[in-house]
Amino acid sequence: MNVAAPLEDPFYYLTNFEFVLGWVTERHGDLLSDEERTFLAEFAALPRASRALLVRMVMRRGEHFRTSKLVYPEISAEVGADTADRAGTGDSETALAPLVAAGLVEAAPALSLELLFAQLRLPELRAALAGEVRAAGLPASLGKGALFDALAPRRLEARPLSTWWPAAPDRVVRLTVMATCDRLRLMFFGNLRQDWSDFVLAELGVQRFERVPFGAESRAFQRREEVDAYLALHRLRERLDAGEPASMLAAELPPVPADNLWLSARRRRLELALGRQAERDGEGERALGLYRQAGWPAETGSAEARIRHLRLLERRGEHAEAHVLAEALVGGSPGEAEAQALSRLLPRLRRRLGLAPLPREAAPDPERLELCLPLSSSVERAVGEHLAGDDAPVAYVENTLITGLFGLLCWEALFAPLPGAFFHPFHSGPADLYREGFVARRRERFDACLARLDDGRHRQAILATWREKQGLANPFVHWGALDEALLSLSLDCLPAEHLRACFERLLGDLKANRAGLPDLIQFFPEAAAGEPRYRLIEVKGPGDRLQDNQRRWLAFFREQGIPVAVCQVRWADPAWADPA
């Protein structure tokens, strides 16, 4: 991977940007439009200072920039500007000229009042808008927010900065190719969550990634319409977060290629979010329709959308319809979270419909501990210190130990170079980790990893991976929480059959089951034969209750005979005493 580090190359960001352009051209060339190919050619022909300035703008927020803020020492040195120009504006103007000539930067964009306020400080706004302030009869002492609120109703037309403020000391320019650069970034990363800083963090050693070979089929998108659909969904989500009504956005949902399961899942997540907003806005029918789109068919739809659909029907008094749908879901194969929600919903619906109650199975009850402890800033730490002894150490491991052991044992399966799993050098885990079929595609690999639990090879394998892969990103391994001593003690005390049971449950729903694990683990390395050599402890402070995912793990532990306890704490300090 030929990318540059900041400490070695002042133009590291340009080198890294050009690395992305080369990668996308090589692997996604068939997905590029004529406009994007033109941009790539024009960019390559620019002087280095101009290329660097464009990348600096791409890496910043927004599309509008004041030229006085586009001052960078390496660009100044490249341009060879007069050192008497202390502000450096001559440097940026020299580097900007080729960008403007190529149409990559607009020299004098029209600025709305909102953009003007975003670009100027309050004293500058008072100078630029003095005439408008006088015409509106406003006091000159208004603050920035109050000034905007007072002028916004006047609907002032957009105009260049030089028209707003003829005496302005610099210009505001607009980058015209941000959307193109976002598209190229999307084709490289396969998402818009990651940005150019990933290169810098990797080269500084802040983040390190497993090296996975890339084949010709290793890319996020196979067709241009898939890129278009992703971008359309992303923009709709941005607009939803900005407060636009769900009714308007739902009408703009783009079609998604039927054979692209992960894009279909992304659309369902947006439909779910739109449904929630419609429900909050009191648009019940629209919310039901969006939940229905997101949740069915049950084999591929969102379980959360289905449950929200049923709960909304219940609140609307449509109990019979909700009951029919709920019964059908129970008759299928609901996941644990959905089954838990249905187990609460169905009895209520049956009562309201006058139907006989369903028989209830008694849930296994975990061991209960009750402690009264001195007030502490951390309830988990207080419990750990209280319970720990020389022969019974306690460690805080919430969602890190069992998942970490799993990630270390199954490293080869997680990072198997399958098509569509890895398509750039900055993956912290496979791109399809939470998609349907992830485990099925790797079932033989996972079985081979878990087989080491059957003959005792797992201890050596986990510790060897911990040493060899130290610090490499893995979605299940939190390096700061795992040291060799904790791993060794855990492998001494946790039976292999318990680990296998936990790992198989993780594989049943990696996204849902990676959380909700107990806070503490207590070891009993000197326990007598036949006695448990550890126990897991979920800690709850005053007023704290078990979450649903914690309840599911606790039920599973008891079913499997895995030692677990729930510790309820109350503070000895009278100010924090329970009302009882």
Side-chain angles (χ1 to χ4, degrees):
M1 182 176 62
N2 184 26
V3 297
L7 299 181
E8 300 171 357
D9 177 9
F11 288 97
Y12 66 91
Y13 55 90
L14 174 58
T15 302
N16 295 339
F17 186 81
E18 291 175 334
F19 173 82
V20 169
L21 299 188
W23 184 283
V24 170
T25 300
E26 178 183 348
R27 290 169 171 77
H28 297 80
D30 58 314
L31 305 186
L32 297 174
S33 68
D34 292 340
E35 180 183 354
E36 289 150 5
R37 293 178 187 278
T38 298
F39 165 73
L40 294 172
E42 290 177 340
F43 180 80
L46 291 168
R48 182 162 77 154
S50 298
R51 298 199 310 275
L53 184 59
L54 184 139
V55 176
R56 284 287 194 183
M57 297 166 76
V58 167
M59 295 176 69
R60 288 174 57 171
R61 187 181 298 275
E63 296 182 342
H64 293 81
F65 306 94
R66 294 183 66 166
T67 53
S68 60
K69 302 283 183 68
L70 297 176
V71 179
Y72 302 97
E74 75 281 359
I75 295 177
S76 297
E78 181 78 7
V79 170
D82 184 352
T83 56
D85 180 9
R86 295 184 180 180
T89 54
D91 311 349
S92 59
E93 291 292 349
T94 301
L96 268 172
L99 299 177
V100 172
L104 305 179
V105 167
E106 185 179 358
L111 304 178
S112 65
L113 188 68
E114 184 176 6
L115 281 171
L116 185 71
F117 269 71
Q119 294 295 323
L120 301 188
R121 301 184 300 274
L122 179 58
E124 295 173 322
L125 286 166
R126 287 173 174 164
L129 298 169
E132 300 291 349
V133 169
R134 285 193 299 271
L138 302 174
S141 59
L142 281 180
K144 194 170 184 179
L147 180 60
F148 178 82
D149 291 341
L151 292 178
R154 296 173 64 85
R155 301 186 182 279
L156 301 172
E157 66 177 15
R159 61 198 80 165
L161 179 62
S162 60
T163 305
W164 282 111
W165 188 18
D170 60 354
R171 295 188 294 154
V172 171
V173 297
R174 184 179 75 88
L175 183 65
T176 65
V177 291
M178 185 66 88
T180 297
C181 293
D182 280 346
R183 180 181 283 268
L184 296 171
R185 175 165 62 93
L186 172 60
M187 283 191 274
F188 178 79
F189 285 115
N191 63 74
L192 288 174
R193 182 184 67 258
Q194 291 177 278
D195 59 30
W196 312 105
S197 64
D198 280 34
F199 286 86
V200 180
L201 295 174
E203 290 305 311
L204 290 176
V206 176
Q207 292 182 346
R208 296 171 52 227
F209 303 92
E210 179 66 288
R211 294 182 179 274
V212 180
F214 304 103
E217 72 286 359
S218 297
R219 61 184 196 175
F221 304 98
Q222 303 302 321
R223 291 168 290 180
R224 185 172 178 85
E225 55 264 35
E226 294 173 341
V227 184
D228 293 337
Y230 185 105
L231 286 168
L233 292 170
H234 180 78
R235 303 308 179 205
L236 287 174
R237 182 68 210 217
E238 287 183 325
R239 290 165 60 189
L240 176 65
D241 293 341
E244 290 194 38
S247 56
M248 178 186 300
L249 301 177
E252 298 181 34
L253 281 166
V256 170
D259 59 345
N260 191 312
L261 297 180
W262 72 275
L263 269 180
S264 297
R266 190 171 187 86
R267 176 179 160 130
R268 285 195 296 272
R269 288 196 296 273
L270 180 56
E271 289 168 339
L272 171 62
L274 290 169
R276 294 177 63 180
Q277 185 57 52
E279 186 175 353
R280 285 192 289 268
D281 293 342
E283 296 184 271
E285 284 297 331
R286 190 180 307 279
L288 286 174
L290 287 162
Y291 289 152
R292 193 178 299 110
Q293 289 174 217
W296 276 271
E299 295 76 21
T300 57
S302 162
E304 183 181 353
R306 291 193 292 274
I307 294 301
R308 287 187 174 276
H309 184 266
L310 295 177
R311 287 173 178 163
L312 182 53
L313 287 173
E314 181 187 21
R315 285 195 294 275
R316 287 162 58 93
E318 300 175 37
H319 302 135
E321 182 180 352
H323 181 261
V324 170
L325 291 173
E327 288 278 14
L329 292 174
V330 169
S333 301
E336 289 184 9
E338 186 172 17
Q340 184 181 46
L342 290 169
S343 71
R344 294 168 177 166
L345 181 65
L346 264 174
R348 296 199 304 268
L349 293 172
R350 294 182 70 85
R351 282 198 306 272
R352 290 181 173 120
L353 292 170
L355 301 176
L358 296 171
R360 299 183 62 182
E361 297 182 8
D365 192 25
E367 177 188 357
R368 297 281 175 174
L369 302 175
E370 293 188 5
L371 298 178
C372 180
L373 301 175
L375 183 63
S376 170
S377 60
S378 169
V379 64
E380 295 87 2
R381 183 182 298 111
V383 171
E385 292 173 352
H386 178 82
L387 294 177
D390 292 339
D391 58 349
V394 176
Y396 176 73
V397 295
E398 180 186 15
N399 298 329
T400 61
L401 179 60
I402 289 176
T403 56
L405 291 168
F406 167 78
L408 292 169
L409 182 64
C410 298
W411 194 287
E412 300 97 318
L414 291 170
F415 289 94
L418 301 183
F422 300 94
F423 34 84
H424 62 75
F426 302 99
H427 280 282
S428 60
D432 61 337
L433 180 61
Y434 299 127
R435 297 177 195 164
E436 185 181 0
F438 172 80
V439 174
R441 294 178 68 197
R442 300 162 175 82
R443 187 70 253 188
E444 290 186 6
R445 289 179 167 87
F446 279 118
D447 287 344
C449 293
L450 297 183
R452 290 179 288 200
L453 291 161
D454 301 333
D455 55 18
R457 290 177 295 140
H458 66 287
R459 178 188 179 87
Q460 180 181 353
I462 288 173
L463 292 175
T465 302
W466 183 85
R467 298 183 189 112
E468 178 188 352
K469 305 294 186 180
Q470 186 68 223
L472 294 182
N474 180 311
F476 298 98
V477 180
H478 302 272
W479 293 104
L482 301 175
D483 58 34
E484 193 163 4
L486 174 61
L487 290 177
S488 295
L489 186 57
S490 300
L491 293 169
D492 286 341
C493 295
L494 275 68
E497 58 269 24
H498 288 182
L499 290 177
R500 176 181 270 279
C502 291
F503 295 169
E504 289 287 6
R505 183 171 190 270
L506 278 172
L507 289 171
D509 190 336
L510 286 166
K511 186 174 184 178
N513 293 339
R514 63 181 298 172
L517 288 152
D519 301 298
L520 306 176
I521 185 169
Q522 184 167 29
F523 299 103
F524 307 106
E526 305 303 325
E531 293 295 318
R533 302 184 68 194
Y534 78 103
R535 67 172 171 177
L536 301 167
I537 304 170
E538 179 62 43
V539 178
K540 292 298 169 189
D544 196 7
R545 295 183 178 182
L546 290 170
Q547 300 173 15
D548 282 348
N549 57 358
Q550 295 170 335
R551 292 181 185 277
R552 293 194 295 271
W553 268 114
L554 290 171
F556 170 81
F557 291 143
R558 298 300 290 172
E559 291 167 0
Q560 297 293 324
I562 293 174
V564 65
V566 175
C567 180
Q568 188 69 53
V569 176
R570 59 186 178 88
W571 299 124
D573 188 319
W576 288 84
D578 291 340

